[in-house]
Amino acid sequence: MTISHSRGHQNNMNSYAKVFESLYFPATVSQCAAGTIEPPLATFKAPAEWYGFPPALIPIWSDGSRPTYIGAWKHWFMDREPTYIKMHVGAGRTTIEIARTVEQLFALAAMMSIGEKDGVESDLVNFAKAVGLQNLDQINAVSLISGDDARGLAMIDQFKNQTPLESAKAVGAYSGEFPLVSFDKLKPWWNSACSFEISQEILAVWPANLPKPAWIDDIGKDKIGLFNEYLGAGNLKCAWLTLNSTGWTIRDARTAISALNIRAKDSQFNLLVDAWLSIADESAGAY
């Protein structure tokens, strides 16, 4: 896998502002993504840099030291709520749900800032004012108890309801839609998940009598052929999930998302495609 970034594409990240607006994200999210609200961590960059990511990610911040992304995660052509994730580029672009509301996202950013700087510094105070975060004292107090343990976030007001998967203390306490180490056929999450969301822990306990969806089943499978099969059958959901699973060169993914856009005839999706194509430089190699 090649990890690369292109500073020259930073300005094109601003095309994502139209995506956030069309999907009715709060203006503060778009302002964070554009860098007009400065992030409270020294390693966070906005607009995000390009290290290669699938189009389900709508980037807010990148961190080049690992590298990682923090952003919105939006699946198209299916009934799944957008959420907020961290993607670890160097670990196969493993994607973890870290927040389900914008309030949680900003509280988490504050917690990370406190951990980085061992306290509440002026840049965090300015960030909190800009995004309407009013419980820095509580977040600081919890950080002294839990450190960087994501499950400790459940003690913060913003995380007491709609707890994200990373902070849920038990599978049964989680009410969201990210993949779980649970295979309840009444809640078949695997039919609406892409490979980046499915952890090695889940794969290790996948029941032998439960077939994996084709886009997950074999990482080495011809993703282009599979994508074209779904697209030809008019199955936009499965075409999208295939496009957002491992096994694509950026060049082929650019061609595929353009073909999907033609079939979708969706003005909101068209904005997403324009934004992703504007920064999807082939220098990143593949995802």
Side-chain angles (χ1 to χ4, degrees), residues 205-224:
V205 296
W206 198 291
N209 63 350
L210 180 65
K212 295 185 182 76
W215 58 88
I216 298 167
D217 187 34
D218 182 1
I219 289 176
K221 188 163 182 170
D222 172 24
K223 288 299 195 300
I224 301 171

Side-chain angles (χ1 to χ4, degrees), residues 32 37 104 109 124 127 135 145 189 203 207-208 222 265 271 273:
C32 285
I37 294 177
Q104 290 175 357
L124 176 54
F127 173 80
N135 59 332
I145 299 168
W189 56 257
L203 291 174
D222 172 24
K265 297 182 175 65
L271 291 173
V273 174

Side-chain angles (χ1 to χ4, degrees), residues 3-287:
I3 295 177
S4 163
H5 69 85
S6 174
R7 294 180 186 274
H9 285 71
Q10 278 195 12
N11 291 335
N12 291 333
M13 282 290 184
N14 291 328
S15 59
Y16 275 102
K18 295 178 182 176
V19 180
F20 283 119
E21 183 180 352
S22 75
L23 295 173
Y24 304 106
F25 280 86
T28 47
V29 175
S30 183
Q31 290 162 4
C32 285
T36 52
I37 294 177
E38 292 190 11
L41 287 99
T43 56
F44 277 18
K45 301 296 181 191
E49 294 186 331
W50 168 251
Y51 301 99
F53 57 81
L57 172 65
I58 308 174
I60 299 172
W61 296 301
S62 64
D63 184 339
S65 62
R66 285 181 274 279
T68 55
Y69 286 106
I70 287 178
W73 188 251
K74 160 70 176 169
H75 277 311
W76 299 79
F77 317 116
M78 69 189 79
D79 186 21
R80 265 187 72 176
E81 286 290 318
T83 188
Y84 298 94
I85 59 92
K86 178 184 280 188
M87 175 179 284
H88 299 272
V89 176
R93 295 179 174 82
T94 303
T95 299
I96 302 165
E97 183 184 61
I98 57 172
R100 290 170 61 189
T101 68
V102 67
E103 292 81 11
Q104 290 175 357
L105 177 71
F106 293 151
L108 174 61
M111 179 71 89
M112 294 171 72
S113 177
I114 291 167
E116 180 185 76
K117 296 165 185 174
D118 201 24
V120 177
E121 299 290 339
S122 59
D123 62 340
L124 176 54
V125 173
N126 293 335
F127 173 80
K129 287 178 182 176
V131 300
L133 185 62
Q134 298 179 341
N135 59 332
L136 276 184
D137 288 346
Q138 183 193 42
I139 295 169
N140 189 33
V142 171
S143 76
L144 296 174
I145 299 168
S146 65
D148 60 1
D149 184 349
R151 288 171 296 182
L153 291 167
M155 292 184 277
I156 296 172
D157 289 345
Q158 289 91 332
F159 284 81
K160 287 179 179 173
N161 296 305
Q162 290 184 276
T163 308
L165 185 57
E166 190 184 38
S167 300
K169 295 186 176 180
V171 166
Y174 178 64
S175 62
E177 297 173 291
F178 240 68
L180 296 165
V181 187
S182 170
F183 298 88
D184 182 351
K185 292 185 179 179
L186 296 176
K187 298 177 182 177
W189 56 257
W190 49 90
N191 292 327
S192 301
C194 66
S195 67
F196 295 114
E197 302 171 274
I198 300 173
S199 67
Q200 290 300 314
E201 182 185 11
I202 292 173
L203 291 174
V205 296
W206 198 291
N209 63 350
L210 180 65
K212 295 185 182 76
W215 58 88
I216 298 167
D217 187 34
D218 182 1
I219 289 176
K221 188 163 182 170
D222 172 24
K223 288 299 195 300
I224 301 171
L226 184 62
F227 172 87
N228 287 334
E229 282 180 33
Y230 287 132
L231 191 64
N235 190 337
L236 304 189
K237 170 187 169 180
C238 290
W240 168 258
L241 290 170
T242 302
L243 179 60
N244 285 278
S245 293
T246 53
W248 288 91
T249 65
I250 300 302
R251 174 178 293 181
D252 289 339
R254 288 178 61 91
T255 301
I257 199 171
S258 299
L260 183 56
N261 192 30
I262 291 168
R263 290 295 298 272
K265 297 182 175 65
D266 181 307
S267 59
Q268 287 180 308
F269 185 64
N270 184 62
L271 291 173
L272 182 278
V273 174
D274 283 350
W276 191 78
L277 288 176
S278 75
I279 50 91
D281 192 295
E282 294 175 21
S283 64
Y287 64 71

